[in-house]
Amino acid sequence: MTDPHAIQPSELDQLPDRDPEETSEWQASLDAVTKAAGPHRAAYLMRRTLERAEGNGIALPKLLETDYVNTIPTSAEPSAPGDEALERRITAWNRWNAAAMVTRGSAYGVGGHIATFASAAWLYETGFNHFFRGKEADGSGDQLYIQGHASPGIYARAFLDGRLTEHHLDNFRRESGGEGLPSYPHPRRLPWLWEFPTVSMGLGPLSAIYQARFNRYLTNRGVKDVSASHVWAFLGDGEMDEPESTAALALAAREQLDNLTFVINCNLQRLDGPVRANFKIVQELEAQFRGAGWNVVKSLWGTAWDELFALDTTGALVRRLREVPDAQVQTYQTRGAAYIREDFFGKDPALAEMAKLLSDDKILECFHLSRGGHEARKVFAAYKAAVEFKGAPTVILAQTVKGHTLGEGFASKNANHQMKKLTVDEFKTMRDLLELPISDSQFVDGRVPYGHPGTDSPEVRYLQERRAALGGPAPARRTQPLPALPAPADKAFASFDKGSGSQNVATTMAFVRLVKDLVRDKETGRRWVPIVPDEARTFGMESLFPSLGIYSPKGQTYEPVDRDQLMYYKEAKNGQILNEGITEAGSMADFIAASTSYATHGEAMIPFYIFYSMFGWQRTADQMWQLGDQLGRGFLVGATAGRTTLTGEGLQHADGHSPVIAATNPAALSYDPAFAYEIAAVVKDGLRRMYGEAAPGEDPNVFYYLTVYNEPMPQPAKPATPGVDEGIIKGLYRFNTVESAGLNVAAANAPRIQLLGSGTAIHWVLQAQKLLAEEWGVAADVWSATSWTELRRDALEADAALLRGEERVPYVRQALHGAEGPVLAVSDYMRQVPDQIAQWVEQDWSSLGADGFGLSDTRDAARRHFGVDAQSVVVAALAQLARRGEVKAAAVKEARERYGL
């Protein structure tokens, strides 16, 4: 039988033991302590020894968990500056008005969340009073990622500060009148207040990490020194279940982002119940963050617990706190002293003796009210420790009670996320608890009043003085009028107009070549931020490595294996390329930080993020929405696009739908360019609109999505016909006619058809044009549809104008006006993409697309499978003409047989 106390084999057995006798003596000492004083004393001594070793710089693996107590003991807490009594009054007013706002709004059925801010009030107020730097000081101030459900508390503070009125509060979640407040942090809806949209859970923490990283990027590249900016992310413990919440923890530690602090409100409740009912979420998070390399500060218990810990001479209290599951802690919050005495203290004889020394009031104070997240002194100590810690990011795990101060009907109740109002009696109880001077007579017709101490009250003066000392109001979004970026030299774009001659060039390569020219521009080149999740070489970006460098805060600490090659892998502290590794989510967070730098830091940056089109929108569409909500600007580039162009990769890599997803985002301008000169025209116009002089009525707060292809094809010269540039931007222009293409059609009155193609599909359409003319006597004109989505949006705007009594013809109808014959639209995407515009086309309409799952095969075989190759286009065109009686029905059957369809 195996001895359970025997030393088990470990990795230490691989190391030579220079003095086995000494090792045995240490082990024997531990055995003796365990036997004489018990395992808890032995564990305490071991941890003290490890603590001393760490203090002496001895490299040892760290413990992933500590006891369920505060990291900073009461004796080590710094004195908090300021007037705590006034801060308590300010917090009380904000608690009241946050609850009043939501309750009054419930009369209109718009709801709102009360319990989150009630639990987190001191976490915010302490920061606003002492830590969060505003934008009116030097630099850019701090970046605050506010937990979405806490927005009523932030509005309440802005009301106390004079930035909002009662009218604003009464229109919480009712924005149609023009002076309402959005439900959550929405920069697009309230652009002077909110910087970061955070209510889509998990995106806040991910974005905060990459924002802190982008701040370092700006500083290291010499664009702007933002080293004084600190990023604060306020999160819920339940929110940490989202995979995005913890996706980049290792990056933050690896890059030593000590300009970043997570504040996790550990009220032990998700939206509908306990976070870790049978376990301890605080301990789990501590292990997770410590394992990732973060500094962890736990603020769990308030000062009322000091007496209990002082009585804990055996460690029984600490052990009991660690073993009680979270759901039971929540139950203690709602039960009386007798239950707590029996269930908590009664489990251990030492604790039962301790309980005899405690009054019922003391027990209830500890278990109902006293939490580290509810005391300004505890929170201040944690925040101070966070901003002073160097070499790693910090996470603060602050324990609170969800629904704190809202009364017994709210506190720790599983349903409190769904509870949108308090009764008048509950408000009066809350008023008495918070000691607010609000009389019963102010409750008119059962309507709860807002509270305000007066614009010249000590509370308001103190609040404003503290914010002035910290650099102005917060949160706040400031967009200083930035001068338009000078347009790059026209030759960078014009060089694509002449085409590639006999050389085959993929449009992915054409885009990379364009960017390579643009980053050389003396005025704006340094503002480009190339972002790639990995496989930069797949997209032909290796040519940028030596000239721009890959950003790394450590520079290059090794000799690259390809150092002797022209396009070697060069990392640099001031590198310009963000090569993120295999993470579309991280790359997208990079893009969001860079694309909004014009507002966050007053520095316009031009990000382009290039990715496998299949893995961009499909994986991170929620972040694309966040990007639009945050008013980001830049270029998203879906490379190796289309369902049939990525040879042999199969259905998991075959993108037939990204333009559909992109079309759902109002801020995304989606283009599917066919030729290099179209890419140049779109990028040129995008730079003008987003960074130069936007035309009247144009919103510069948009971003562009371009699909580019890895299939090398001849790039034609731009047609010299008028209106091409306008058509490229608006979404459609005639590329050629059968006559301008030099194709001969036997009959003078030959049937005619209009072929619309986008992206790589236009090459099959051009082949079909030739086959139709030479083999079937059909005249086909070819149109390049650069943006089905923009055509649709223009048509929708025209429809809306008609309802207002304005005469307006959609551009697609104008462009096709007078074009003879039916229309056949073709793309390398599902038919839903071109069918977006069908209802506004006057001619007979039909379409071809790559619907269904992809498959692994050659391009030709894949196109035949989906019925979008040139021969399939011919058959579809003949079928459409046959329905009109313009060709014989037998021609369709003959064509199918001839082409083997």
Side-chain angles (χ1 to χ4, degrees):
M1 183 174 178
T2 303
D3 181 359
H5 301 293
I7 303 298
Q8 299 300 312
S10 75
E11 72 278 4
L12 295 178
D13 293 333
Q14 301 179 61
L15 304 177
D17 190 343
R18 297 184 302 175
D19 192 339
E21 185 176 350
E22 182 183 35
T23 303
S24 297
E25 290 173 356
W26 277 81
Q27 293 171 340
S29 297
L30 177 62
D31 292 342
V33 171
T34 304
K35 184 176 180 179
H40 302 299
R41 177 60 181 170
Y44 179 83
L45 292 176
M46 287 300 299
R47 288 175 55 187
R48 279 297 194 187
T49 303
L50 290 171
E51 187 180 82
R52 175 60 61 89
E54 183 177 350
N56 288 337
I58 299 173
L60 287 172
K62 292 185 177 181
L63 294 175
L64 294 184
E65 286 186 34
T66 61
D67 284 324
Y68 202 67
V69 296
N70 295 346
T71 302
I72 305 171
T74 302
S75 59
E77 289 173 359
S79 298
D83 188 325
E84 185 174 340
L86 272 178
E87 291 177 14
R88 188 171 296 279
R89 298 278 290 176
I90 291 168
T91 305
W93 285 116
N94 291 340
R95 286 182 182 278
W96 176 272
N97 288 322
M101 178 194 339
V102 175
T103 297
R104 287 167 69 129
S106 67
Y108 303 97
V110 295
H113 300 287
I114 303 177
T116 294
F117 179 73
S119 67
W122 276 113
L123 302 180
Y124 290 107
E125 293 298 325
T126 303
F128 285 129
N129 289 329
H130 300 289
F131 291 93
F132 304 157
R133 298 175 65 254
K135 293 184 174 296
E136 296 172 6
D138 294 336
S140 302
D142 289 352
Q143 287 82 56
L144 309 179
Y145 288 77
I146 305 294
Q147 193 177 1
H149 292 143
S151 63
I154 309 304
Y155 290 139
R157 191 170 220 274
F159 169 65
L160 201 66
D161 195 13
R163 294 195 289 164
L164 292 176
T165 66
E166 285 193 16
H167 178 70
H168 288 114
L169 301 190
D170 264 346
N171 283 281
F172 173 59
R173 290 192 170 196
R174 294 192 299 145
E175 300 177 76
S176 56
E179 292 187 340
L181 301 177
S183 51
Y184 303 121
H186 283 302
R188 189 170 284 275
R189 301 304 306 158
L190 201 61
W192 60 268
L193 181 73
W194 298 118
E195 280 195 286
F196 309 107
T198 54
V199 80
S200 189
M201 293 188 185
L203 300 191
L206 179 68
S207 293
I209 289 174
Y210 280 89
Q211 181 66 57
R213 197 282 199 89
F214 185 74
N215 290 356
R216 290 279 172 85
Y217 171 87
L218 286 181
T219 301
N220 288 337
R221 285 196 54 216
V223 176
K224 182 177 182 181
D225 184 358
V226 294
S227 55
S229 291
H230 199 89
V231 178
W232 300 81
F234 289 85
L235 318 168
D237 47 0
E239 181 178 6
M240 300 311 294
D241 283 345
E242 290 283 6
E244 295 90 349
S245 295
T246 55
L249 297 186
L251 176 139
R254 183 169 65 245
E255 300 206 1
Q256 300 179 319
L257 298 180
D258 49 26
N259 60 339
L260 170 68
T261 298
F262 276 15
V263 181
I264 302 182
N265 178 15
C266 298
N267 55 38
L268 313 185
Q269 287 185 248
R270 295 195 309 263
L271 305 186
D272 286 324
V275 178
R276 291 290 182 273
N278 296 303
F279 305 95
K280 313 269 310 170
I281 185 61
V282 169
Q283 299 301 91
E284 178 184 319
L285 291 175
E286 178 182 29
Q288 195 167 15
F289 278 87
R290 283 184 181 274
W294 287 53
N295 175 44
V296 179
V297 177
K298 295 197 290 190
S299 183
L300 307 180
W301 309 109
T303 52
W305 284 82
D306 288 349
E307 179 182 341
L308 276 67
F309 287 124
L311 294 172
D312 185 28
T313 58
T314 65
L317 175 63
V318 172
R319 292 194 297 274
R320 181 69 178 132
L321 288 173
R322 188 168 183 175
E323 71 186 19
V324 174
D326 284 352
Q328 192 63 25
V329 173
Q330 183 185 16
T331 298
Y332 293 149
Q333 174 68 33
T334 63
R335 298 298 181 89
Y339 177 87
I340 298 171
R341 285 182 186 276
E342 178 182 353
D343 191 84
F344 180 83
F345 292 97
K347 302 294 184 181
D348 185 291
L351 291 180
E353 290 300 313
M354 178 191 297
K356 294 177 182 178
L357 305 175
L358 304 174
S359 67
D360 285 355
D361 287 343
K362 182 65 177 181
I363 289 175
L364 293 179
E365 179 186 14
C366 288
F367 283 85
H368 284 192
L369 301 173
S370 187
R371 299 291 187 273
H374 294 323
E375 296 189 12
R377 179 178 176 180
K378 303 291 184 184
V379 176
F380 180 88
Y383 285 9
K384 188 172 187 292
V387 297
E388 292 179 352
F389 190 87
K390 300 303 176 186
T394 293
V395 59
I396 295 169
L397 303 175
Q399 186 165 247
T400 65
V401 174
K402 195 167 187 177
H404 183 59
T405 74
L406 297 181
E408 294 181 357
F410 264 86
S412 286
K413 293 296 195 298
N414 284 339
N416 59 25
H417 182 76
Q418 302 302 324
M419 297 161 68
K420 312 300 183 185
K421 61 183 179 180
L422 279 73
T423 66
V424 169
D425 287 341
E426 286 172 327
F427 266 108
K428 290 179 179 179
T429 300
M430 181 182 178
R431 171 201 62 189
D432 296 340
L433 175 65
L434 298 176
E435 300 179 345
L436 291 173
I438 296 173
S439 66
D440 288 353
S441 63
Q442 290 178 261
F443 291 84
V444 179
D445 297 327
R447 188 174 172 86
V448 59
Y450 293 119
H452 199 292
T455 56
D456 195 40
S457 64
E459 293 96 325
V460 173
R461 289 201 307 272
Y462 180 86
L463 183 155
Q464 294 175 341
E465 288 168 1
R466 290 306 309 142
R467 290 313 314 158
L470 288 166
R477 183 177 183 271
R478 296 285 187 267
T479 51
Q480 303 298 333
L482 297 178
L485 294 184
D490 197 56
K491 65 179 181 180
F493 306 100
S495 63
F496 292 89
D497 291 351
K498 61 185 179 182
S500 63
S502 60
Q503 182 182 5
N504 288 339
V505 177
T507 52
T508 298
M509 298 302 105
F511 177 82
V512 171
R513 178 188 147 192
L514 174 62
V515 170
K516 188 175 181 180
D517 290 340
L518 293 175
V519 296
R520 291 172 177 162
D521 186 84
K522 292 182 180 180
E523 296 291 333
T524 60
R526 73 191 185 102
R527 297 190 177 276
W528 283 86
V529 183
I531 303 167
V532 60
D534 199 19
E535 297 200 66
R537 297 180 189 275
T538 299
F539 307 133
M541 291 178 61
E542 66 269 24
S543 61
L544 301 178
F545 290 170
S547 57
L548 301 184
I550 299 165
Y551 173 73
S552 171
K554 292 183 177 294
Q556 193 149 37
T557 61
Y558 61 92
E559 183 178 353
V561 67
D562 53 0
R563 182 66 179 85
D564 57 343
Q565 298 178 16
L566 180 62
M567 299 179 186
Y568 72 98
Y569 199 87
K570 176 186 176 183
E571 297 188 73
K573 190 173 182 179
N574 63 346
Q576 195 163 348
I577 302 170
L578 293 172
N579 194 13
E580 285 302 353
I582 306 174
T583 168
E584 286 84 7
S587 300
M588 196 63 220
D590 268 334
F591 188 89
I592 292 170
S595 69
T596 54
S597 182
Y598 72 93
T600 309
H601 294 301
E603 293 286 346
M605 305 299 286
I606 312 171
F608 82 85
Y609 163 32
I610 188 167
F611 50 88
Y612 271 109
S613 70
M614 179 69 172
F615 304 137
W617 285 87
Q618 178 168 295
R619 286 191 177 178
T620 59
D622 197 14
Q623 287 179 283
M624 270 73 162
W625 195 269
Q626 178 190 11
L627 166 66
D629 205 7
Q630 201 167 316
L631 295 90
R633 306 169 182 174
F635 297 95
L636 298 176
V637 183
T640 60
R643 183 149 275 166
T644 69
T645 63
L646 195 53
T647 315
E649 291 283 0
L651 65 90
Q652 290 183 331
H653 286 66
D655 170 26
H657 53 280
S658 70
V660 177
I661 307 175
T664 66
N665 192 310
L669 277 61
S670 180
Y671 285 87
D672 186 25
F675 306 123
Y677 67 79
E678 293 177 352
I679 292 173
V682 172
V683 171
K684 181 179 181 180
D685 191 70
L687 290 173
R688 175 199 61 78
R689 177 170 177 171
M690 296 184 291
Y691 300 97
E693 298 291 347
E698 276 188 330
D699 183 4
N701 298 314
V702 295
F703 60 93
Y704 285 66
Y705 175 52
L706 283 74
T707 47
V708 294
Y709 299 84
N710 69 325
E711 184 175 10
M713 299 294 288
Q715 297 297 323
K718 182 163 73 172
T721 52
V724 170
D725 287 333
E726 178 189 23
I728 291 173
I729 303 308
K730 289 191 172 182
L732 182 69
Y733 69 96
R734 183 153 48 194
F735 175 72
N736 70 15
T737 63
V738 68
E739 292 81 10
S740 66
L743 298 172
N744 295 318
V745 180
N749 60 345
R752 187 174 286 269
I753 188 169
Q754 308 300 316
L755 301 179
L756 279 56
S758 69
T760 195
I762 204 166
H763 297 287
W764 327 325
V765 169
L766 288 169
Q767 294 173 42
Q769 180 191 42
K770 184 177 181 181
L771 291 173
L772 284 166
E774 295 178 349
E775 300 184 12
W776 304 97
V778 172
D781 299 336
V782 173
W783 299 70
S784 179
T786 53
S787 179
W788 308 102
T789 303
E790 287 305 294
L791 291 173
R792 175 179 175 80
R793 287 176 177 170
D794 172 80
L796 290 172
E797 290 173 5
D799 285 356
L802 285 173
L803 293 177
R804 297 192 300 267
E806 304 170 15
E807 285 294 329
R808 181 176 164 190
V809 180
Y811 174 79
V812 64
R813 187 169 296 172
Q814 295 178 45
L816 290 171
H817 180 70
E820 298 178 36
V823 168
L824 173 60
V826 187
S827 83
D828 200 21
Y829 299 95
M830 56 197 303
R831 289 177 60 184
Q832 184 176 341
V833 174
D835 284 348
Q836 292 180 84
I837 66 170
Q839 71 186 82
W840 293 280
V841 174
E842 293 180 321
Q843 293 87 345
D844 291 341
W845 172 274
S846 65
S847 64
L848 295 176
D851 285 79
F853 286 113
L855 77 166
S856 299
D857 214 314
T858 65
R859 292 185 180 114
D860 289 342
R863 286 161 190 165
R864 176 57 58 91
H865 169 80
F866 285 113
V868 293
D869 60 349
Q871 292 77 14
S872 297
V873 173
V874 169
V875 172
L878 293 173
Q880 200 171 7
L881 291 167
R883 285 193 296 270
R884 295 163 56 93
E886 296 181 23
V887 300
K888 295 179 179 180
V892 180
K893 180 181 179 182
E894 181 184 348
R896 282 200 304 266
E897 292 174 351
R898 181 183 302 183
Y899 300 135
L901 296 179

